Amino acid sequence: MSETPEPAPEAGKPEPAIADVALKGLCPRCGAPTLFKDIFGAFAPTCRACGLDLSKFNVGDGPAAFLILILGAVIVAAAIVIQLKFAPPIWLQIVLWIPVTAAAVVWSLRIAKAALLASEYRNKAREGRIAPSDRP
């Protein structure tokens, strides 16, 4: 991330909430719906409305690790409940849960990545530095 501060949002217009950025794909600075360049969750390089450089934010794989654990537990629990209550054939379980899992991952990964980006913007996160020491 660069050392230059980002310009403030337009006067009188507050920055959108992190939840709004995540759920609606809004720019964290101006609130325009320009955060993603495609439906699969790839960020646009810059906001087309205000010019915020979105490529400098380091979202990484953090959201994916949490989603693997959370969605995996929810989907396995749902599959077990369906199996115990209705006892469908295994092929029906496969046909049901593969698309549900894929859709849940794509949808929730977009939200998690956008929330992390908005949080980085809001907290002015940047590369770590070692503070100067007062010791001789």
Side-chain angles (χ1 to χ4, degrees), residues 3-132:
E3 292 293 323
T4 59
E6 293 295 333
E10 295 175 23
K13 186 176 181 184
E15 294 175 346
I18 291 175
D20 288 335
V21 170
L23 295 172
K24 299 175 185 173
L26 304 178
C27 170
R29 181 177 9 177
C30 69
T34 59
L35 187 61
F36 296 105
K37 73 177 173 184
D38 59 29
I39 194 166
F40 296 111
F43 292 122
T46 60
C47 173
R48 295 181 299 276
C50 69
L52 176 64
D53 182 13
L54 299 170
S55 65
K56 70 180 183 175
F57 292 97
N58 182 16
V59 175
D61 294 331
F66 285 109
L67 290 175
I68 287 170
L69 296 173
I70 294 167
L71 286 175
V74 168
I75 289 174
V76 166
I80 290 171
V81 167
I82 296 291
Q83 185 64 38
L84 294 176
K85 278 196 172 260
F86 304 108
I90 191 70
W91 66 266
L92 185 59
Q93 288 275 39
I94 292 170
V95 168
L96 173 67
W97 294 113
I98 289 177
V100 167
T101 303
V105 166
V106 169
W107 178 73
S108 60
L109 194 56
R110 277 178 60 99
I111 292 172
K113 286 172 61 177
L116 187 55
L117 185 140
S119 180
E120 284 184 11
Y121 176 79
R122 176 85 32 99
N123 295 314
K124 298 173 179 56
R126 58 184 186 269
E127 295 288 328
R129 290 180 227 351
I130 297 175

